[in-house]
């Protein structure tokens, strides 16, 4: 019976997928088509034939992705432990390297404990729903990253958004929504990924303490750049005990892959018992652990890498601003240039690409409607000459 029905079922696939084509067409009309284009190399500088391509679209901030020490650490881990962890952490996948990396991460960030996850995205999905549930409240900065938003949605807690980087608005909302027996959780990023600006962490931590709310901070882009030995902004402001949970990724300045949280030993124990994206997945593989350990060693041995990058970024920003470009409140290695229109942002990025300058054109829903932008992500691979060349090209490409 099933065999006879098959030809008809196959021919109806076309019809079933009509809606997909329609959605793709709609996105194209709005200038929102996304592409996973292949790059020849990773890192801030891509050498292709005789060309020196300036890549401002990656997150290899400290130029570590090809660092011999990280590669050596990854190779040693791979040779000693093999290609995969081959089991989940709670079965037989926990290797000495997982524990070593967790201890080193916690020490770097001056926090009592750390726990690894498969990625930053999985970290968020596996933590927020274990801090709050559908009876509780989340107060989230309007611009938090999609992974925190998805973690918040998964928790089922009531989601209240506060104005970006605005502690007064947060205070107002905390007062409007008292605990009344519910748990309350504040979510923010330490350094915002699309605006390059810094959260007022001391003020937010003060509000969290005053209102008896938990605080979770995503340090994805601040790790490696801010704070003592690049340990992040929580450590820089000594807010470890005021922050319930710090999350981060090993995939940006640390040039590898994976996510982590830092917090108390009690919190770590709670997540080991409950966190679904920690429990029901294979443990991070050895090479990834070796890479991260290598990156942390570089941070310890060269503690001024982040400061050097921030100085370069200040010089770049000043040059762009002096030509009237809107770089929002950027105060970091991430420098947005707001264009507004989606098509125009794409057009400018394409014209820069023709000049061997890669800059991300970031459009909704990653950023709010009407704020399409170029996102410059500066790395230590970029020289002062590269910055001057990029500044000239960007100014030429943007119609005044
Ligand atoms: C702010 C922020 N948090 C979390 C993530 C997710 O990290 P991962 O790439 O490790 O999943 C990203 C980007 O990827 C990010 O920009």
């Amino acid at each position: 019976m099933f065999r006879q029905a098959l030809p008809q079922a196959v021919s109806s696939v076309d019809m079933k997928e009509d809606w997909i084509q329609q959605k793709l067409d709609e996105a194209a009309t709005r200038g929102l088509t996304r592409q996973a284009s292949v790059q020849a190399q990773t890192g801030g500088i891509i050498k292709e034939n005789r060309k020196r391509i300036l890549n401002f679209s990656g997150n290899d901030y400290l130029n570590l992705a090809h660092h011999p020490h990280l590669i050596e650490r990854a190779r040693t881990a791979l040779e000693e432990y093999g290609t995969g962890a081959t089991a989940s952490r709670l079965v037989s996948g926990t290797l000495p390297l997982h524990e070593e990396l967790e201890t080193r991460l916690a020490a770097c960030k001056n926090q009592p404990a750390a726990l690894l996850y498969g990625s930053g995205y999985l970290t968020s999905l596996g933590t927020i729903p274990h801090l709050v549930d559908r009876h509780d409240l989340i107060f989230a900065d309007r611009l938090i990253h999609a992974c925190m938003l998805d973690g918040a949605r998964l928790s089922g807690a009531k989601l209240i958004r506060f104005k970006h980087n605005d502690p007064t608005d947060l205070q107002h909302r905390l007062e409007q929504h008292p605990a009344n027996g519910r748990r309350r959780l504040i979510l923010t990023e330490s350094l915002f990924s699309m605006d390059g600006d810094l959260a007022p962490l001391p003020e937010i931590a003060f509000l969290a303490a005053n209102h008896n709310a938990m605080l979770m901070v995503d340090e994805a882009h601040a790790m490696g750049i801010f704070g003592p030995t690049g340990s992040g902004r929580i450590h820089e402001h000594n807010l470890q005990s005021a922050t319930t949970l710090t999350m981060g990724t090993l995939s940006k300045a640390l040039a590898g892959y994976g996510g982590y949280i830092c917090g108390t030993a009690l919190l770590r124990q709670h997540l080991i018992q409950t966190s679904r994206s920690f429990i029901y997945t294979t443990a991070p593989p050895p090479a990834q652990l070796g890479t991260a350990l290598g990156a942390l060693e570089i941070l310890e041995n060269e503690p001024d890498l982040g400061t050097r990058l921030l100085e370069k970024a200040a010089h770049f920003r000043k040059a762009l601003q002096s030509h009237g470009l809107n770089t929002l409140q950027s105060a970091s290695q991430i420098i947005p240039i707001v264009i507004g229109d989606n098509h125009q942002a794409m057009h400018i990025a394409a014209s820069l690409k023709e000049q061997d300058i890669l800059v991300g054109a970031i459009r909704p829903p990653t950023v709010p409607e009407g704020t399409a932008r170029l996102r410059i992500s500066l790395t230590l691979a970029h020289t002062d000459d590269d910055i001057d060349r990029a500044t000239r090209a960007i100014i030429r490409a943007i119609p005044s």
Side-chain angles (χ1 to χ4, degrees), residues 119-121 145 147 189 193 218 220-221 249 251-252 258:
S119 72
Y121 190 89
H145 188 260
C147 70
E189 274 173 53
S193 61
D218 183 353
H221 296 270
T249 172
S251 68
K252 301 188 191 297

Side-chain angles (χ1 to χ4, degrees), residues 106-118:
C108 168
K109 295 182 81 73
N110 198 22
Q111 298 219 25
L115 188 67
L116 290 170
Y117 282 82

Side-chain angles (χ1 to χ4, degrees), residues 71-86 95-97 100 285-287 289-290 293:
I71 292 172
E72 183 51 33
R73 281 297 243 140
R75 182 183 295 127
T76 310
L78 187 62
E79 282 169 1
E80 189 165 350
Y81 294 101
T83 52
T86 72
L95 301 168
L97 285 182
E100 186 183 345
L289 306 170
L293 283 164

